Structures are given as C-alpha cells and as structure tokens.
Amino acid sequence: MTDMSDFDVLVLGSGPGGQRAAIAAAKLGARVGLVERRTMMGGVCINTGTIPSKTLREAVLYLTGMSQRELYGQSYRVKDEITIGDLTARTSHVVGREVDVIRAQLTRNGITVLPGMGKFIDRHTLQISDGTGHARSVTADKVVIATGTSPARPPTVDFDDQTIIDSDGILGLERIPRSMVVVGAGVIGIEYASMFAGLGTKVTVIEQRMRMLEFCDTEVVEALKYHLRDLAVTFRFGETVTAVERYAKGTVTILESGKKIPAETVLYSAGRQGMTDHLDLPAAGLSADKRGRITVDDTFRTEVDNIYAVGDVIGFPALAATSMEQGRLAAHHACGEPAHPMHELQPIGIYTIPEISYIGRTEDELTEERIPFEVGVSRYRELARGQIIGDSYGVLKLLVSPDTRSLLGVHVFGTGATELVHIGQAVMGLGGTVDYLVDTVFNYPTLAESYKVAALDATNKIRQVNQLTD
Ligand SMILES: Cc1cc2nc3c(=O)[nH]c(=O)nc-3n(C[C@H](O)[C@H](O)[C@H](O)COP(=O)(O)OP(=O)(O)OC[C@H]3O[C@@H](n4cnc5c(N)ncnc54)[C@H](O)[C@@H]3O)c2cc1C
C-alpha cells in the first residue's frame, strides 16, 4: 500500500459484502473508506431485503398464532385484526437496531464513512456525490465494489409502489391486501407468498417454468406446495404474464393462456439487476454484463488488478450469507494476507412458512451423476420435541454414501430448518460419517435428535443390503 492515496482500501456499498470487506481490511491495518448513501447503511440486506423480510415472517408467525394451531386449534390467533402497522413496527425496530450495530462496528474499527454514491474517474480515483449537489474525489490503492442489486422491473409493467410493487414495495404497503398475485416463484417471491398466505391474503403464484425451487429436494418442494395450497395459495406453473392492468379497485393480471386473475396487489419478483449503471465502470477499464454483473476470479479480483468485487453484484448465489464471506476473503487478497479459498459446501436457507434448508447434493443430482446413496429420514412428529412444539410435518433427510458412509446431502423442512442444517454442515465439512451421528448423544427432547433418528434409518437400510449380499 502507498501513502500517496487517501485510502489503502475503498469499499463501495455497506451491505454484508462491503461491511465485511471494510472491517476485515481495517483489522489487517489498512486505512479504509466506505461509501454509502445516508439512508442505506447496511445495504439491501438490512433495509429492504433479508432483515425486514425475516422480521416480517417472525411477526406473521407470532401474530397469526399459526405455529401453535396444532396444539390450540385452527381458530387460534394472537391478534384477530392484524394491521400493517403491527408488522412494520417490528420491522422498523429491528432495522433501526441493526443499522446502529453496523455504524458502531464501522466506527470501532476506524473506518471512514463517506456518505453518497461513488463513481469511477479512473481505476484509483472515485467521485462521491452526496445527493445534495456536492461531490468530492478520493483516491485508493485498492477498491472493493459491493454495490449489490436492485429489483428488475420489466419495462412493460407500470409499477406504482402500492398496487403493482416489487419486493422493495412490500414495506411501503398501506394495508394487508385481501388478494395478491405473485409473479415469479423464486426464493423471494415464494417467501412473501407464504407470509401473505399466512396472513389470510388469497395468493396466486404465477411462474413461467413448470417447477419452482428446482435446486431443492423434490419431496421438500412438494411438501411446501402442499402446505401453501392448504393456506389457499393457487399455483399457475408454465404460464407467462402478458399484461398487468390497474383499475380503481384493483388489478387484473392477464396470462398468455388467456386467463385473467384479479387481485388487490401484484408483487413482481422477476429477478434482480446489478447496481453498476451509475459506477462508470469503463472509466476504470471495467464492464458489466447485461444484468449488471461484474466478473471476478477466485480471489474476487476483477479484470483490473486493483479492483475487487463481491456480493450480489458478482451474481450467484447472491445471498447475504455468502456475500459476507466473499467480502472478508476479498479484503484478505487485497491486503496481501493469506486466505483459504471459499468453502465449497454452502448452505441454502429458504424462509418460507414452513422453512427449508439444505447442504450438499440432492437425490436428483446424485441419481443423474450415478452416485449411489441411501436415504435416512426422521419425521418431527416422531420426536418428542416435534410433539411439544406442535410441528407434525417437519422432516429431516440424510443422503448417505453406502460405500464410504459419508454424508452426501442434508435436507430439512420444518421448524428450525435453517439452524438445524448446520449440524450436518459441520459433520460434512469435517469429513465425518453417518456413524458419528449414530454414536452421538443428543440433548433430549430436541429437533437435533432428528439427525440420530435419520442416521439410524440410513444405516439400518445399508445393513439390510449388506446382509443380503455378503
Ligand atoms: C426480499 C429479500 C430477501 C432476502 N432474504 C435473504 C435471506 O434470507 N438470506 C440471505 O442470505 N440473503 C437474502 N437476501 C439476499 C441478500 O439481501 C443479499 O444477498 C445481500 O444483501 C447482498 O449483499 P451485498 O453486500 O452484495 O449488497 P447489498 O446488501 O445489496 O447492498 C449494496 C449497497 O451498495 C450501495 N450502493 C450501490 N451503488 C453504490 C455506489 N455507486 N456507491 C456507494 N454505494 C452504493 C447501495 O446503496 C446498497 O446499500 C434477500 C434479498 C431480498 C431482496
């Protein structure tokens, strides 16, 4: 690093990727600047994406009482008339606290926050416009682009942020709609579909493809669809939206097949676009693809050797979880500090109601690759903890190699899935086998015990084959 620049490392964006890059670089002794709009500290993650949506989900689960209905009956509610205010109060509280935590962490680590939007003048110089007509130039040895994404808005759709909205518009809704069309059954679309269905909104999900969440375990997705249908969600797969019409009393979504679907609100969840338009990338010798994404190598370095990029702006998997780790690793590479490569085992968590999580391979992938596996299943209803919490539908599934007895995949559906998956991740990451889970004593009564039950199921099946063939 040189003393000639204003900063050793300048980070653009304060989402999970930018935040972790800035803090890691500061911990390594670098002089760090971080550029962010005043209203967006914490990025999409804290302000409009992960944190508000997960808080909303928690509020829905609590206020509707839906997770307690197996115990107290189908009419059980914590609050009869849930208002949008009930939901947003919790969201604003959590978002406010999280923003404070981030500000404090940046200050504690001596990071200079530069309010505004940055754009390149050249590969070492950026102009920062603070939104009030003032601009300043700063120089940096290394730059980390962590500018994230914004919702893609098809030009043919007339968004008005009240009746026709994208996922950013959810937080601005003035009331809970009685009916909603969700266009796009990706993770964000289906998470919100399940939350609104839980609130009693009549939801119709429209998806161009014939399946949804096709990267997940097929049985788990079937179970989710069953649950959502039970909450009056209608699925329209293999259907394309040709127009969304807005009227005084609502909207009509018109499908290519000729169907017309009325709804109070339409939520468009049609992918996301990299926030690179306003960066003037060519001034730094860089470019983005048509979805605004920047290409990087496995050290998160772009084709310009002093510029790195992390998080959603580099594309898949576009999760807060991975963005954080990419940010930390990019800072290490930028500061010349040795770093392990990104771990290949990465969990996927989908916060639908009920939630889904997995790590490793699916049955379909293993079958396609001709890798033999045995399945071990544990159902929450057979666990004491499942009965206590009133979750009779939860399931944990282990995919086990009959040859090496290693875990090939862990799939969880139901309460606590996104937490439980990490037990499997640790066993897989440390090269453990199914026998570790068979021999382990778990706290009782817990959902974690499902690992032992599923491991016994898998090993019993493997033994049966061995007894017949030995
Ligand atoms: C509704 C929703 C739910 C989600 N749920 C989950 C979940 O449950 N789990 C999960 O892991 N992920 C989830 N995600 C994804 C997660 O939010 C993103 O992966 C994560 O926020 C990406 O982090 P990032 O660091 O790339 O940047 P972002 O969080 O996108 O932040 C980028 C920041 O850069 C700033 N910026 C842009 N341009 C400039 C510029 N020129 N100069 C300065 N600053 C700039 C922006 O203002 C923004 O604050 C969800 C996303 C959405 C939309």
Side-chain angles (χ1 to χ4, degrees), residues 12-18 35-37 40 42-45 48-50 53-54 116-118 146-149 167 188 191-192 272 275 278-279 310-313 318-321 323 351:
L12 295 173
S14 67
V35 189
E36 179 59 271
R37 288 178 278 180
M40 280 298 281
V44 163
C45 175
T48 54
T50 315
S53 65
K54 264 76 265 184
M117 289 286 273
T147 52
T149 54
S167 63
I188 295 173
E191 282 185 356
Y192 278 129
R272 300 183 63 89
M275 289 266 286
H278 44 283
L279 282 175
V310 298
D312 284 12
V313 77
L319 289 169
S323 303
Y351 293 84

Side-chain angles (χ1 to χ4, degrees), residues 120-123 276-288 304:
F120 284 98
I121 306 295
D122 61 44
R123 54 188 284 197
T276 44
D277 272 2
H278 44 283
L279 282 175
D280 199 0
L281 291 176
L286 276 174
S287 58
V304 176

